[in-house]
Amino acid sequence: MAEGTLSPVEERARASVERAPLVAPGRTRGWISDYVSSIVEAKTPRWWWVAISITGTLLLVLIACTTYLVATGVGVWGNNHPVGWAWDITNFVFWIGIGHAGTLISAILFLTRQKWRTSINRAAEAMTLFAVICAAIYPTMHVGRVWMSWFLIPVPNANGIWQNFRSPLMWDAFAVLTYFLVSVLFWYTGLIPDLATLRDRATTKVRKFFYGILALGWRGGNRQWRHYEMAYLLLAGLSTPLVLSVHSVVSFDFAASVIPGWHTTIFPPYFVAGAIFGGFAMVLTILIPARAVYRPLGDLITVSHIDKMCKVLLFTGSIVGYAYLMEMFMAWYSGNPFERATFWYRATGPYWWAYALMILCNVAVPQLLWFRFFRTHVIWVFVIAMFANVGMWFERFVIVATSLTRDFLPSSWGMFHPTWVDIAMFAGTFGLFGTLFLLFIRFLPMICMFEVKAVLPSANPDSGGKL
Amino acid sequence: MSLRPDQKFDYRHVGYGFLAACALSALAFFGLLIGAILDVRQFAFSYLFAFVFFFTISLGALFWVIVHHAVDAEWSVVMRRQLENSACLFSALAVLFIPLVFVAPDLWAWMDPANAGNPVLQEKAAYLNRPFFWGRTLVYFAVFIGSAYLLRAYSVAQDASGSVRCTIYNRRVAFASIVPLALCVTFAAVDWLMSLDWHWFSTIWGVYLFAGAALSSLCVLVLVVTALRSVGYFKGLITEEHYHILGKLLLAFTIFWAYIGFSQYMLIWYANIPEETSYFILRNTGSWNVLSILLVVGHFVVPFLLLLPSLGKRRPGFLCGVAGWILAMHLLDVYLMVLPELHRTGFRPSILDLLAVLAIGSTLVAVFLKALGDSALYPIRDPRLQQSIDLQN
Amino acid sequence: MANFFPKWTNQLPWKVVICLGVLTLSIAAAVTYYFTPKFTRVGYQPTQPVPFSHALHVDQLGMDCRTCHSFVEVASHSNVPSVQTCMSCHTQIKPDSPKLAPVRAAWNGGKMDGPPVNWVRIHRLPDYVYFNHAAHVNRGVSCYSCHGNVNTMEVVYQHEPQSMSWCLDCHRQPENALRPPSEVFNLNWKATSAHEQYQLGSRFKAEWGVNPPTDCGGCHR
Amino acid sequence: MDIAGNPSSPLYGVGAEFASAVDLVRVAKELRAAGYESFDVFSPFPIHGMDKAVQSRRSPLGRIVFIGGLTGFLAAVALQYIPSAVIYPLIVHGKPFGFFAIPAYFPILFETTVLFSAFTAFIGLLMMIGLPRFNHPLFNWDRFKGVSADGFFAVIESRDPKFSKDETGRFLESLGGSNVTVIHED
């Protein structure tokens, strides 16, 4: 075919293989610094006060409930025999799962050179940290005597005993703690150059002082950048297996047991996929409103970004669906009557509605994302992400509750009913999460400015280096 | 449109290699035939082992082509044709599967009428029965072959027309293939390997086979690309930047394989449920245990440590060495999936193991060489070709 | 426009790091010493309602432990002597000592219905620990091992931390404590050397099949 | 030439501002070609190819982190093996406690390795780039604030053997630098 006489179909095809720009055209480095910093520097908007008073109230509820729980005992939860792990562990796994997207975006997408991550990684990493904090509350409370939880840390003590390092719960303590600490380091390392921006723009003494301290005296010379880039790469390289390991270890809590419905070998990758799924859903849940409030952010977090995140959502949702299928199939294929009964009970027992919700939200609804229409209309994306959030909570609930309510012996069967403390604490963790996030967008740059500047077309002086 | 010499494979480079591969294949098959007459069970297991090994390589190649299109990748454009060629070996593999049909009851004991009364088997009879089994096998090959051929056909068509539409079509084929591929791989792994011992089950099994497939096909890609480079192709197209990415992917999938393998082993070891541990008890006893330990060290520790520093990943020669080593370990991995079910007392090598690998391997090499010259060595008019060549890490 | 932070701040991070390090180390050291039974328990010496002197009764008068703590060889619990035990001597000896007033009040002329003597307990194991005196005493573990030289104490105090790790020290290596059965109640007995103790202890351990539990269920039944 | 900082304090160097990342890479190459050693180029983001332009060696951080990770790994081996197999050997869930329990020791081995590596990376980074350092002569230069927004700077330090205040300044100007400034300490 001669050039210049392209058919309309071919024309459209050409257009659709064009890469969408990562930052809307016309946005310069200066604009990025000015706009992103201005979010932090401007007078606190009214909606922020409204929002934080809501989340703060919920946070107070959490504090009150936690105090009540510590003072009274774990019995104020609905946990019982046989359901010793209930909403607490469900919520723990739910939050820790949400805490996976941030590091995934920062680390894995960094290693795979997915440059679109730059606009969303900061907020996602912050979300990770806050979610892990929310998650950590539950196992800490669940140990019962909270003041004894230091027993999880291997230090020499007057009891002459040591932790059982072969226990999945111990692995969990190590994994979650490591994950939190490494994520903090990773997040802070990424913040340093942006904190320097805020420092350099600061006009008040208080700002100069605090941002000056936090920026550590960053100057942005090549002598610093070259080590900085290496350190960032290394931290990304370390975080990648770490992020996979954390939810795998969480899955070991269940899968290393012999309880039907828990003991299944696909749990580690399945949990990881679920965590990424839930985490991305939460990132979308937060960023879409943020884009709506701060409209120019739409030039940095473009529809193309949302589209890509939706593809991740679709992919991981499908992996989760695959895992549901495999669990069901293998339960049947195993020929083990307990396995078969457990899964039959899951789908048809008194908790069938939770199972149905889980399938609907995690597998069925995300299939809409096969269509570009749903991926590029933020309202739809928001709705689907909400479904995913709900679905992932129910997934954890289905796993925890259905396997425990039915023991091997019918005489020890029982149901779970949440108490008001269960419900209020769960709501309260959203308050904690929201409060921390609101504080974050108020005081720290929510877009990684220097990385976005680096993906602007003008930033890359092409240099040689071919073989 | 005629291809430039550097775009088209010249058979002079293999000399009589093509004929040699054909001859070797014929000889090996003759040997196998004799072996099958002497010891049909040994033949059945050896042949399945060799078949699965080569099957995973094609499977992995198909997976990478699909990933390439699905994520709209850039860097892999120059080497995509070689992946397509490897993926298209599925039609040959379908033919090579036929001998297994004749020895099926010797291989898959559940087909043996003598076992029909087994209560566990009766529980699973709705899945493990002959008509359904063969039907599924047909579906697997249909999906694999269909997907691989469509992807390659559009890609080759683009060489001639330069139409970007081919890219779009391929993207659609890739998207449409993902779900069927995942299901087919899983159930093929269940049917051909897991059902060798019908008591045993593991939900991650399909993923485990897939992890090995993705890794070993990358190794084959490294070897093929380097071989082609060594005879003068891909000059200025495939640079050390590409090798660097391949090296990183090798490292990533080495870790992924270990992760999946560890998950499966650790959970079964930890829970210690009799019907599950049987698989690993068999492989962790006596001389099999030596090979199992070798697998852990050779398939994970060694390549992991070799691939960790960034220097080696940019050296084609080094990377080829590692790729060859991983392939050998993948061979061992598949061996340990299949053969312990036959020699339950310990490792007993047989000449048929070797002959089966030679027979299937040389046949596939011949088919591959044939495909190599059928089209350009890389998608010469892919819209992203230039970006792929200009790759910077 | 000058620097916002003065020059001396450049050294500040190091100083902060060093201070934090020292602080952490001292907190760790303080906790390891002050927050353990070695500090909180050892030396506990309450005032008893009756100034009973073990030094007088055991060391000078030569009474055996079992004279008063009479169940120690047969029961898990080593009893505090009853008023009757005291009065079996003190009706004769120093019957009018004012120091013995609470004992006499409890005895109440033999009717034993007076207010009991409120001895203050010194060695206190938590409820969740199972401890059997008889099992220890009959297998060559001396009173001394857990209570120290009570025979020389004017007023009894806690001599050993009796923490879990302290229990385990002995349960793991009983040969360092086992002694000839005849010497269990001789609180002054001591092997001539650590080596002899080890040899003796190892012999007894082997002969009597002493195999103290070190799993959780051994004590937390 | 402008002057930043306290002119009576010791001289730190001479700096100039450039227009773009492309310029800065060129400047770095030129400075290197002219034989300067103690200079640095400043930018709001890391510039691809700059390491090559200033001919800096690959950051040794990778090796340091490897050592940190190895330390973490060995620490975890000791932490788990000594208490579990030597100090307090217990048989739980019917598993061995010694070497053959490796699968059960593995998660913590991994986590601790990562933890140590990450802290080594972070602390190693700070050591290597000399932070935290709150007071620096460059902060005396007002225009330098732009480095964290969209400014590109090159600064030649006075300790460079080839340094001479006027000539170096002129050289920077000839490379296209604007706002050439002599920077003193405060």
Side-chain angles (χ1 to χ4, degrees):
Chain A
M1 196 184 291
E3 298 296 323
T5 57
L6 293 174
S7 67
V9 189
E10 182 69 14
E11 201 95 61
R12 271 208 305 281
R14 292 231 162 157
S16 74
V17 297
E18 284 290 317
R19 298 259 191 233
L22 294 168
V23 175
R27 295 307 191 184
T28 61
R29 282 190 292 273
W31 180 82
I32 292 167
S33 297
D34 287 342
Y35 183 67
V36 177
S37 308
S38 76
I39 297 176
V40 178
E41 290 161 352
K43 193 171 163 294
T44 312
R46 179 166 301 164
W47 69 264
W48 191 88
W49 288 114
V50 175
I52 202 158
S53 51
I54 297 169
T55 60
T57 312
L58 283 173
L59 174 59
L60 288 178
V61 169
L62 176 69
I63 294 171
C65 286
T66 311
T67 315
Y68 174 57
L69 180 123
V70 172
T72 318
V74 179
V76 301
W77 277 339
N79 298 25
N80 58 28
H81 278 289
V83 192
W85 286 7
W87 272 36
D88 45 1
I89 303 301
T90 303
N91 295 341
F92 163 66
V93 182
F94 172 72
W95 278 115
I96 202 97
I98 285 173
H100 275 60
T103 314
L104 177 101
I105 291 171
S106 331
I108 298 184
L109 299 186
F110 177 77
L111 291 183
T112 51
R113 301 289 189 267
Q114 297 298 307
K115 287 180 178 161
W116 57 275
R117 69 181 261 290
T118 53
S119 317
I120 51 173
N121 71 339
R122 172 70 46 71
E125 282 173 52
M127 201 193 76
T128 288
L129 298 178
F130 307 150
V132 174
I133 291 171
C134 291
I137 292 172
Y138 287 100
T140 315
M141 295 300 143
H142 192 237
V143 299
R145 294 187 290 162
V146 180
W147 51 96
M148 300 297 267
S149 47
W150 63 272
F151 262 42
L152 285 166
I153 304 162
V155 287
N157 58 53
N159 293 337
I161 49 168
W162 290 87
Q163 288 69 24
N164 176 15
F165 295 105
R166 287 159 286 160
S167 157
L169 303 185
M170 195 66 215
W171 306 343
D172 222 10
F174 269 82
V176 172
L177 199 64
T178 304
Y179 184 53
F180 182 72
L181 292 175
V182 174
S183 298
V184 169
L185 287 185
F186 196 33
W187 187 57
Y188 183 63
T189 306
L191 265 169
I192 292 174
D194 281 1
L195 288 167
T197 305
L198 289 178
R199 173 199 65 195
D200 290 345
R201 295 170 54 95
T203 45
T204 67
K205 276 210 156 151
V206 180
R207 283 175 177 277
K208 277 182 183 170
F209 179 78
F210 281 107
Y211 290 122
I213 296 275
L214 288 173
L216 301 178
W218 175 261
R219 296 187 298 278
N222 178 256
R223 285 182 199 153
Q224 291 184 335
W225 278 123
R226 74 189 186 96
H227 294 298
Y228 180 88
E229 282 192 286
M230 178 54 91
Y232 203 79
L233 177 71
L234 287 167
L235 283 172
L238 289 165
S239 302
T240 300
L242 179 67
V243 72
L244 298 184
S245 83
V246 175
H247 226 57
S248 301
V249 168
V250 170
S251 83
F252 291 160
D253 293 345
F254 300 95
S257 72
V258 293
I259 303 206
W262 284 9
H263 175 71
T264 171
T265 47
I266 205 169
F267 254 37
Y270 151 47
F271 263 50
V272 171
I276 298 168
F277 177 69
F280 265 82
M282 191 55 97
V283 173
L284 286 166
T285 312
I286 282 177
L287 285 184
I288 289 175
R291 261 172 114 247
V293 174
Y294 296 110
R295 290 207 167 268
L297 282 188
D299 288 353
L300 300 177
I301 307 166
T302 61
V303 172
S304 150
H305 286 85
I306 307 258
D307 176 55
K308 289 184 173 94
M309 288 203 268
C310 287
K311 285 177 184 166
V312 176
L313 209 59
L314 172 61
F315 177 62
T316 48
S318 304
I319 294 184
V320 169
Y322 169 86
Y324 296 156
L325 177 76
M326 276 331 319
E327 278 188 321
M328 272 289 174
F329 171 72
M330 281 299 165
W332 177 83
Y333 179 85
S334 72
N336 179 328
F338 296 108
E339 287 280 339
R340 285 183 174 185
T342 299
F343 279 90
W344 184 247
Y345 168 78
R346 251 186 207 185
T348 63
Y351 287 120
W352 68 271
W353 49 273
Y355 187 80
L357 259 177
M358 163 183 116
I359 298 283
L360 174 77
C361 298
N362 292 349
V363 186
V365 171
Q367 300 307 318
L368 291 174
L369 296 172
W370 283 102
F371 304 100
R372 177 181 291 274
F373 173 82
F374 289 100
R375 294 198 306 264
T376 49
H377 285 76
V378 284
I379 302 290
W380 279 108
V381 175
F382 187 74
V383 170
I384 292 169
M386 274 313 209
F387 268 99
N389 287 328
V390 173
M392 285 317 286
W393 190 87
F394 274 99
E395 178 194 302
R396 277 61 178 257
F397 178 72
V398 163
I399 291 170
V400 172
T402 59
S403 281
L404 287 178
T405 48
R406 289 293 181 270
D407 209 333
F408 290 98
L409 285 175
S411 60
S412 46
W413 287 2
M415 294 291 286
F416 172 75
H417 302 285
T419 63
W420 66 268
V421 183
D422 276 309
I423 298 165
M425 270 188 81
F426 183 46
T429 43
F430 279 98
L432 173 61
F433 183 76
T435 306
L436 290 170
F437 201 83
L438 286 168
L439 289 173
F440 160 69
I441 56 175
R442 193 71 206 92
F443 294 108
L444 293 172
M446 78 170 131
I447 303 277
C448 190
M449 294 183 270
F450 84 92
E451 288 200 6
V452 176
K453 289 175 199 165
V455 299
L456 286 174
S458 62
N460 194 5
D462 199 37
S463 55
K466 297 213 198 89
L467 197 70
Chain B
M1 168 169 188
S2 64
L3 297 168
R4 295 202 311 267
D6 63 316
Q7 292 170 338
K8 192 166 165 58
F9 184 69
D10 186 341
Y11 282 102
R12 268 181 314 155
H13 294 301
V14 285
Y16 292 106
F18 179 74
L19 290 178
C22 294
L24 183 61
S25 157
L27 271 176
F29 268 110
F30 182 68
L32 277 179
L33 186 65
I34 295 172
I37 293 164
L38 293 176
D39 184 352
V40 68
R41 293 200 68 210
Q42 177 68 54
F43 162 76
F45 279 84
S46 299
Y47 194 83
L48 180 69
F49 144 67
F51 175 81
V52 170
F53 174 74
F54 290 104
F55 165 78
T56 53
I57 289 170
S58 258
L59 179 69
L62 178 57
F63 161 76
W64 285 111
V65 178
I66 288 176
V67 167
H68 171 95
H69 288 299
V71 305
D72 194 8
E74 221 164 72
W75 71 274
S76 47
V77 170
V78 276
M79 44 186 91
R80 196 184 70 218
R81 181 59 45 77
Q82 298 317 315
L83 286 168
E84 286 162 355
N85 287 345
S86 316
C88 280
L89 295 177
F90 268 121
S91 48
L93 278 164
V95 176
L96 288 166
F97 188 79
I98 291 169
L100 289 174
V101 177
F102 297 103
V103 294
D106 292 300
L107 195 54
W108 293 292
W110 56 265
M111 288 189 185
D112 195 337
N115 293 321
N118 184 294
V120 176
L121 198 50
Q122 281 172 344
E123 288 291 322
K124 307 183 180 188
Y127 184 80
L128 291 181
N129 61 66
R130 285 194 195 206
F132 194 19
F133 179 88
W134 295 120
R136 286 195 303 266
T137 300
L138 278 179
V139 171
Y140 303 152
F141 279 113
V143 168
F144 295 145
I145 295 174
S147 172
Y149 267 79
L150 276 177
L151 288 168
R152 188 170 185 274
Y154 282 126
S155 178
V156 172
Q158 193 174 47
D159 287 354
S161 70
S163 165
V164 181
R165 262 174 297 166
C166 295
T167 302
I168 305 291
Y169 294 147
N170 261 340
R171 204 178 288 171
R172 287 187 192 147
V173 174
F175 282 138
S177 303
I178 294 173
V179 173
L181 185 79
L183 294 177
C184 285
V185 173
T186 308
F187 288 101
V190 172
D191 286 355
W192 298 343
L193 295 168
M194 196 193 282
S195 80
L196 285 172
D197 174 3
W198 73 79
H199 294 100
W200 188 68
F201 56 92
S202 166
T203 38
I204 209 173
W205 184 244
V207 185
Y208 180 69
L209 190 77
F210 157 75
L215 177 60
S216 54
S217 62
L218 271 182
C219 295
V220 170
L221 178 66
V222 170
L223 294 174
V224 167
V225 164
T226 312
L228 287 170
R229 266 172 56 97
S230 71
V231 293
Y233 296 106
F234 295 132
K235 279 283 174 274
L237 300 178
I238 292 181
T239 65
E240 65 179 17
E241 302 287 341
H242 294 86
Y243 277 97
H244 196 174
I245 289 194
L246 284 171
K248 285 193 269 194
L249 281 175
L250 280 183
L251 176 63
F253 273 80
T254 299
I255 296 171
F256 183 67
W257 176 88
Y259 166 63
I260 299 296
F262 175 77
S263 298
Q264 174 170 276
Y265 179 80
M266 198 279 286
L267 290 174
I268 289 176
W269 173 86
Y270 204 105
N272 217 358
I273 299 174
E275 66 261 32
E276 289 186 350
T277 44
S278 62
Y279 181 86
F280 286 113
I281 286 177
L282 174 59
R283 285 156 182 81
N284 284 1
T285 308
S287 44
W288 285 125
N289 193 25
V290 178
L291 291 182
S292 293
I293 292 170
L294 174 65
L295 185 69
V296 174
V297 176
H299 206 309
F300 172 63
V301 180
V302 172
F304 175 74
L305 290 177
L306 288 176
L307 289 168
L308 203 54
S310 62
L311 282 176
K313 283 180 275 206
R314 297 177 78 91
R315 294 197 189 129
F318 177 84
L319 217 52
C320 279
V322 178
W325 170 262
I326 295 177
L327 271 181
M329 284 301 125
H330 182 59
L331 198 66
L332 175 66
D333 189 17
V334 178
Y335 194 80
L336 279 171
M337 290 176 195
V338 178
L339 267 298
E341 300 296 342
L342 174 66
H343 302 300
R344 303 188 72 88
T345 49
F347 175 47
R348 258 185 50 206
S350 158
I351 184 75
L352 292 184
D353 299 335
L354 183 66
L355 279 178
V357 173
L358 282 178
I360 300 181
S362 52
T363 312
L364 292 177
V365 165
V367 176
F368 185 84
L369 284 175
K370 166 78 179 63
L372 202 54
D374 280 352
S375 62
L377 286 170
Y378 57 94
I380 48 173
R381 295 178 75 180
D382 189 285
R384 300 217 190 284
L385 180 64
Q386 197 52 47
Q387 285 107 306
S388 173
I389 294 168
D390 294 339
L391 176 72
Q392 286 284 315
N393 254 306
Chain C
M1 173 70 201
N3 267 292
F4 180 74
F5 293 99
K7 249 183 180 169
W8 58 265
T9 52
N10 284 352
Q11 280 75 46
L12 201 60
W14 287 109
K15 291 176 183 164
V16 170
V17 165
I18 291 167
C19 287
L20 280 180
V22 170
L23 192 69
T24 317
L25 282 180
S26 23
I27 289 175
V31 168
T32 357
Y33 182 69
Y34 290 110
F35 285 17
T36 51
K38 274 190 203 108
F39 177 77
T40 54
R41 295 268 191 83
V42 173
Y44 176 52
Q45 192 177 30
T47 313
Q48 301 289 357
V50 180
F52 177 85
S53 165
H54 277 83
L56 174 73
H57 288 80
V58 185
D59 218 28
Q60 294 177 30
L61 301 178
M63 289 165 68
D64 190 275
C65 308
R66 287 162 293 185
T67 317
C68 302
H69 305 288
S70 49
F71 303 155
V72 70
E73 283 182 303
V74 292
S76 67
H77 181 67
S78 170
N79 56 314
V80 174
S82 66
V83 182
Q84 183 70 52
T85 312
C86 305
M87 290 311 283
S88 59
C89 296
H90 282 291
T91 47
Q92 313 293 322
I93 303 160
K94 294 206 173 193
D96 303 322
S97 166
K99 289 179 184 168
L100 287 167
V103 179
R104 280 196 302 274
W107 192 59
N108 198 12
K111 292 204 288 289
M112 311 230 278
D113 54 358
V117 185
N118 287 320
W119 300 105
V120 184
R121 185 158 187 180
I122 298 168
H123 299 95
R124 198 185 275 276
L125 289 185
D127 292 346
Y128 48 78
V129 177
Y130 175 81
F131 180 80
N132 188 328
H133 273 89
H136 287 80
V137 169
N138 292 326
R139 276 292 176 271
V141 180
S142 169
C143 313
Y144 170 81
S145 297
C146 306
H147 299 289
N149 277 99
V150 180
N151 56 336
T152 61
M153 293 180 191
E154 279 296 337
V155 181
V156 180
Y157 60 90
Q158 181 155 350
H159 188 260
E160 297 292 332
Q162 300 204 337
S163 67
M164 182 167 154
S165 66
W166 173 87
C167 294
L168 282 167
D169 284 345
C170 193
H171 271 229
R172 284 174 184 154
Q173 276 157 335
E175 53 274 14
N176 291 335
L178 297 181
R179 56 172 71 184
S182 56
E183 305 299 337
V184 164
F185 296 99
N186 176 4
L187 269 58
N188 286 324
W189 185 88
K190 230 176 158 49
T192 52
S193 66
H195 181 66
E196 194 210 342
Q197 170 63 54
Y198 180 76
Q199 287 204 316
L200 267 178
S202 303
R203 208 183 82 216
F204 294 136
K205 187 183 165 191
E207 277 177 9
W208 304 332
V210 174
N211 187 18
T214 50
D215 58 311
C216 316
C219 307
H220 307 290
R221 298 192 163 183
Chain D
M1 277 195 284
D2 301 330
I3 292 177
N6 184 351
S8 53
S9 294
L11 181 65
Y12 173 74
V14 174
E17 192 173 350
F18 294 89
S20 69
V22 185
D23 273 355
L24 205 61
V25 173
R26 178 180 55 80
V27 168
K29 281 180 188 157
E30 298 264 5
L31 287 176
R32 190 49 88 177
Y36 282 104
E37 297 282 330
S38 298
F39 69 91
D40 202 0
V41 285
F42 300 84
S43 53
F45 51 85
I47 299 171
H48 206 88
M50 184 59 94
D51 291 353
K52 228 169 245 163
V54 300
Q55 297 170 16
S56 60
R57 279 178 296 120
R58 201 182 149 78
S59 171
L61 211 50
R63 268 163 282 161
I64 296 170
V65 169
F66 182 78
I67 293 167
L70 199 64
T71 314
F73 181 81
L74 295 176
V77 169
L79 174 70
Q80 296 192 80
Y81 189 78
I82 296 174
S84 308
V86 183
I87 304 180
Y88 201 69
L90 268 186
I91 293 177
V92 274
H93 38 66
K95 297 289 185 301
F97 43 72
F99 179 76
F100 291 103
I102 276 191
Y105 291 137
F106 195 81
I108 293 182
L109 282 181
F110 171 78
E111 302 294 344
T112 315
T113 309
V114 170
L115 186 68
F116 274 59
S117 309
F119 270 91
T120 317
F122 182 70
I123 295 169
L125 167 70
L126 290 187
M127 301 270 233
M128 232 166 268
I129 62 180
L131 296 186
R133 172 172 178 169
F134 300 111
N135 179 295
H136 195 277
L138 280 173
F139 294 142
N140 290 332
W141 185 13
D142 231 10
R143 289 200 64 86
F144 188 71
K145 279 188 191 305
V147 73
S148 60
D150 60 350
F152 299 90
F153 299 86
V155 174
I156 302 172
E157 292 167 23
S158 59
R159 63 185 169 151
D160 193 290
K162 283 199 66 179
F163 182 87
S164 107
K165 201 160 79 178
D166 301 318
E167 218 167 289
T168 307
R170 273 197 296 279
F171 183 57
L172 282 173
E173 218 153 22
S174 74
L175 292 175
S178 55
N179 299 306
V180 178
T181 307
V182 180
I183 304 157
H184 289 271
E185 291 181 17
D186 54 337

